[in-house]
Structure formats: C-alpha cells, structure tokens
Amino acid sequence: MPDRPNNAIRQNNPEQPRVPAPITGWPLAPLMQLDRAGARGLVADLMVSGPLTRQAAFAVAAAVLTRGVEAVCETIVARLDPEGFSDDRVGFALRRRRAREVIAALYDVPAQAVPGGYLRALLRVQEHGATQPGLDPFAQPESYAELFELMSSEPSAAMHSLRYCGALRSSQVQAVRALPAPFLVPEIVRGLSSPEQVSRTIALADFLRIHVPELDDAGLAAAVRQSLGSGNVLAKLARRLLEQADSLPVPVLPPLDGLRTLRSAAEIRAFATAMDNCAATLIGEVATGLKVICAYRHIDEAGVEMPLAVLLTPMVGGNWEIAQIAGKGNALVSRPVLRAVLRRLMTIGLQVAGPAPEVYHKGVAELLGHYCYDTFANVLYESSEEAAIDDDGEADLARIAARLEHITLAA
C-alpha cells in the first residue's frame, strides 16, 4: 500500500514510534470506561496515536458522557462491524478504522457525509495550555457535536468564521452560535479565546443595539469591515459606533439652573468644540458608566457669564463625585468661582471628596505632617485668612494647577 499522509492504518499503527501525549481532563473517565468494558489497552494506544485519531476518540468520549457507554458502543459497532458486535470492537474501531468512519458511525451518517471541514477543524483544536493543535480535547465536551452540526449545515458566516479563525476552542464554537451575523468574521472569532471574552462580545452587541438604535445589520457589518486590520477589532468597532450613540446611559440628576448633562455623543462632540477641550475622547467612558460630562453656566455677582466643564465620576453607592471643573480652553478657575460652583453642585447631592470641616483641623494636620493636597475640600473649607492670601495672587492658580495636573479634559 503506498504511503499517504491520510493513511489511517499507517497513522494508527501502534508499532510506529511516537512520543506519548497524555490524555487528561474530562475524556479520560469515559475512555477508561470503554477500556474496562472490553477495549483493553485503548487509552495506552491513544496516547501514541495521531491527532485525528485522538480527536475522533474524544468525540466518542463526549458522546459517552451524554448517551452512556452501552448506547455508544452499540451505535458504533452496529455501523462499522454489525456481525461482530462486542465491546472490544469499539476499541478496534477507534484504533484501526479511519477517523471519518468513526465519526460517521457516531453521528449516524454515511462516511461521505462527514464534512472535510469538520475533520480539518478537529486538527486545529487547541485550548489554552495545549502545546500543539489536535492533541488535546475541546474544553467543553458538547463542542464536538455542536461543531459537527455547524459544519454539516448549509454554508454560513458561522462556518466561515470557524474555518479561518486559526486555533479552535470551545469558546469560539459557543460564540458563533450566539453572536449576531455581522460579528461572525474570522478576525473577531479568533480573539474569543475564553467564555469571558464571548460574554463581553455578546454584551457589546446588545449594548450597541440599545444605544445606537438606528444601527441595522447592514450598518453593523459595514462598521465591522471598517474596523478590521491591526489592533483590537472589537475596541475599534465599539469606539466607531459609539460616536453615533444618541442615548448614552447617563444618570438623571436633580434640576439645577445652569447645569446640563450631556446625553449623546453628538452633544459631547459639540461641547468639546465649543469649550475647546477633549471631552469627545471620553465618549466611551461615558457610555460605560465611568464618567458623566456636564455643561455648567456660572453667573457672577456682576452678571458676567462663565461656561464651565464639569466632570463627574461614579461612587459605589450610586452617588457621583465632582472630579474636575475647568473653563473654556481648559482654563483654570479662580478659587471664589470654584467655591461658589462647588457649593451649588453639592445642593443637588453631588459629592466632594475630602475631610468634613467639623473634624478636619488643617493647621494641626500640617503641623503633624499630614497634608490634604489641593482637593476641592480645601477650596470649600480653608480659613478665610488663607483664602484671602490665595485669592489675590498667583499662588491660587499654582495650587489649582496642581489639582488639575492630570485633568482628563486637557487638550
């Protein structure tokens, strides 16, 4: 017989030297059941078998977990050796028959109906920690039957994405059954290497449907195509589509004259242009609940109006903390204005981090070497003498500059 790479007898010949590859995890117990049921030496022989033989055995082991060992033995032997039914014939089939024949018997289809794509996919099975493809099983036993069902159906985006995604994992088989069609491209499926990543991707699809309601499958597919290439495809896709979001999940704050919460990407971009800052770079953080951007109109005692940008960050209990306040062009805000704005914002429940005035003794704390550096609390509660000194000089601006050194809205 001529030597061919897919010669099942030659590949499965126990006399052919191979480096043993251990069988571990969930397949070990059902394969040992088959071994003890009469297929003696099955596990030992599979340790030195080729990748496709091992994968066919893992598919059989997965079926044993759901159907039971007797039912699986009866199904396989009835198809492959109807006149010689006995449990040891299953071991013979797994070791000597072609993987295509074993899989056909397992799923009760003709051998020619086993998709070549399924066999090629089995050779790419490589979960995290596997040293090379094809030797270890899927992390989830049910992935063998699910993959066979997918590969046996009509050509689809799911089938295409699995065929060209590289190393194959259970999480990817799960993903293509749950993700919307526009997400089923090899570049996205390739990165779904864990159940957590699959869950995040499904959450992203649902999130975009809610907050970009005008987005249909065609628009989503176009955005996916535009996001392909180097880098994180899903991150680029999310940023691209959130630029169109007209309903960001921002809290409803109590009404306050002069305060306006920005609720859409378009509002944030327009505000960033008018205020000459980089608020537009925070759209993703606003969309995910990490930030809220507000426009505030401060009117001083002389009636002069000053537009301000107010950035809020969430607190665990559901309140919001005032994180930053900046003027147009990211200008620093004088201490009297900052104090007045803070006190007004606090009237609607917005929080300011820092010690309470009734317990904080600034002078004593600093004498002991404990400094509360340039917080909004200092603006609110420091002594009138200190405020008077700071309000007139450049020291005031220097202290506020330190407070705003890492301002996120900086241009």
Side-chain angles (χ1 to χ4, degrees), residues 335-347:
R335 190 171 297 270
V337 170
L338 198 57
R339 182 180 297 114
V341 172
L342 287 170
R343 287 175 176 169
R344 284 210 72 211
L345 294 177
M346 291 174 66
T347 64

Side-chain angles (χ1 to χ4, degrees), residues 295-333:
Y296 183 75
R297 186 181 72 257
H298 173 72
I299 302 176
D300 65 15
E301 295 178 355
V304 177
E305 185 175 300
M306 176 185 298
L308 298 172
V310 178
L311 186 67
L312 308 179
T313 57
M315 303 177 72
V316 172
N319 293 324
W320 290 84
E321 178 187 347
I322 304 168
Q324 297 159 7
I325 298 176
K328 188 172 183 178
N330 208 43
L332 299 174
V333 182

